[in-house]
């Protein structure tokens, strides 16, 4: 059974490092009323739940959870990516992936499970252990697995530290248990590498017996999504960090 709505709101307030007074001021409600909501003495309306969640930057999935706990219907729809209402969004994702060729790009969900990718990305994974590529493929686990990409990542300590920092920020923002587990995997008790002078952290990946690719990544999300699935998708696009990498990727069939 889920926690009461007031308890969930208090948990998000604490996660955001806000006092009751601070949240009450932001949401323009009395601190007394907010206290009554958090302690269960007052049942918040759906509008109040959404107002508080908005000021707490609560993810859409979790907003629905708070609404249900308060006895209200979910406010944000959720569909599978292949469902008819998602056709235009799905087409946009596929167009972005195609346009990014010949450079690798992929789409991941909120738990870093692979949703789809372009041919350039699959070409880098084609000779990995088939067991690791059986769906659902978790991109973080695949990257750090000893039978995955880890042995091919020449700057593994630096890349692992980069992933750990990103996962730490994501866990602070979302509270997602699956992200906490991935964060522990990325940390894995290892000492963080010395700070680099690079402007961005590259992924230095050995391909075959000779080629070493140096890639930098960008992350793209849907702007102001109002649907749960879309709000949780991210496009990870990789670009050449040097000219040899550019020539190698542009020269692949």
């Amino acid at each position: 059974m889920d926690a009461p709505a007031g308890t969930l709101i208090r948990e998000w307030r604490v996660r955001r490092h806000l006092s009751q007074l601070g949240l009450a001021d932001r949401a323009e409600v009395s601190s007394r009323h907010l206290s009554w909501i958090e302690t269960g003495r007052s049942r918040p309306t759906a509008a109040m739940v959404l107002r508080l969640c908005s000021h707490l930057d609560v993810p859409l999935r979790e907003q629905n959870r708070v609404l249900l706990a308060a006895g209200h219907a979910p406010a944000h729809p959720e569909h599978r990516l292949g469902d008819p209402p998602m056709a235009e969004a799905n087409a946009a994702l596929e167009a972005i992936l195609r346009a990014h060729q010949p450079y690798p790009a992929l789409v991941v969900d909120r738990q870093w499970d692979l949703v789809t990718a372009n041919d350039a990305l699959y070409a880098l994974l084609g000779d990995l252990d088939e067991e690791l590529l059986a769906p659902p493929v978790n991109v973080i686990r695949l990257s750090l697995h000893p039978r995955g990409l880890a042995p091919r990542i020449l700057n593994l300590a630096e890349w692992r530290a980069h992933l750990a920092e990103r996962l730490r920020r994501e866990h602070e923002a979302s509270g997602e248990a699956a992200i906490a587990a991935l964060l522990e995997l990325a940390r894995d008790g290892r000492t963080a590498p010395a700070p680099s002078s690079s402007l961005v952290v590259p992924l230095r990946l050995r391909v075959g017996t000779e080629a070493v690719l140096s890639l930098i990544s960008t992350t793209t999300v849907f702007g102001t999504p109002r649907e749960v699935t879309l709000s949780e998708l991210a496009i990870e696009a990789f670009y050449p960090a040097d000219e040899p990498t550019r020539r190698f990727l542009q020269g692949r069939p």
Side-chain angles (χ1 to χ4, degrees):
M1 185 175 180
D2 214 339
T7 299
L8 296 175
I9 290 170
R10 183 173 64 251
E11 289 175 354
W12 280 104
R13 177 178 60 76
V14 171
R15 183 175 287 121
R16 296 296 184 248
H17 307 291
L18 274 176
S19 65
Q20 277 189 349
L21 180 59
L23 176 57
D25 285 345
R26 289 188 183 188
E28 298 181 335
V29 299
S30 71
S31 57
R32 181 181 183 184
H33 183 45
L34 177 58
S35 175
W36 282 16
I37 290 174
E38 291 190 354
T39 58
R41 294 182 63 186
S42 176
R43 176 175 173 266
T45 64
M48 178 59 69
V49 169
L50 292 174
R51 183 194 302 184
L52 294 174
C53 285
S54 175
H55 287 284
L56 291 170
D57 292 325
V58 178
L60 299 190
R61 179 181 299 277
E62 295 301 313
Q63 290 188 29
N64 282 347
R65 181 185 172 203
V66 180
L67 284 165
L68 286 169
H72 306 296
H76 310 291
E78 180 179 3
H79 304 90
R80 293 175 299 181
L81 197 54
D83 290 346
M86 303 284 275
E88 292 302 321
N90 194 34
L93 290 173
E94 294 298 331
I96 292 171
L97 294 180
R98 284 195 306 271
H100 199 65
Q101 291 281 138
Y103 306 138
L106 63 154
V107 180
V108 295
D109 65 15
R110 76 185 195 281
Q111 298 179 346
W112 282 85
D113 285 342
L114 180 65
V115 175
T116 186
N118 64 6
D119 291 342
L121 188 282
Y122 284 123
L124 297 178
L125 306 179
D127 58 345
L128 291 181
D129 190 322
E130 290 186 5
E131 182 181 343
L132 296 177
L133 297 177
V137 177
N138 185 272
V139 173
I140 300 295
R141 296 186 186 279
L142 183 66
S143 299
L144 302 179
H145 198 285
R147 289 187 288 114
L149 290 177
R152 306 180 187 184
I153 300 176
L154 301 187
N155 61 332
L156 182 58
E158 183 181 36
W159 187 250
R160 182 187 288 273
H162 159 69
L163 292 178
E165 176 58 23
R166 181 165 175 185
L167 290 167
R168 183 191 64 78
R169 293 195 303 268
E170 290 185 5
H171 182 253
E172 285 187 355
S174 70
E176 181 76 44
I179 297 298
L182 293 174
L183 176 56
E184 288 305 307
L185 174 66
R187 285 174 173 165
D188 198 27
R190 289 170 168 78
T191 303
S196 170
S197 60
S198 302
L199 297 180
V200 294
V201 177
L203 171 64
R204 300 191 65 241
L205 185 68
R206 185 175 62 249
V207 178
T209 57
E210 298 181 0
V212 174
L213 305 185
S214 185
L215 300 162
I216 57 176
S217 66
T218 64
T219 303
T220 303
V221 297
F222 280 95
T224 60
R226 300 175 64 182
E227 196 275 345
V228 172
T229 299
L230 291 183
S231 73
E232 296 172 344
L233 295 180
I235 304 170
E236 301 291 322
F238 289 87
Y239 293 85
D242 57 30
E243 190 57 32
T245 299
R246 189 184 312 279
R247 290 196 301 268
F248 179 91
L249 292 173
Q250 292 180 348
R252 299 191 84 166

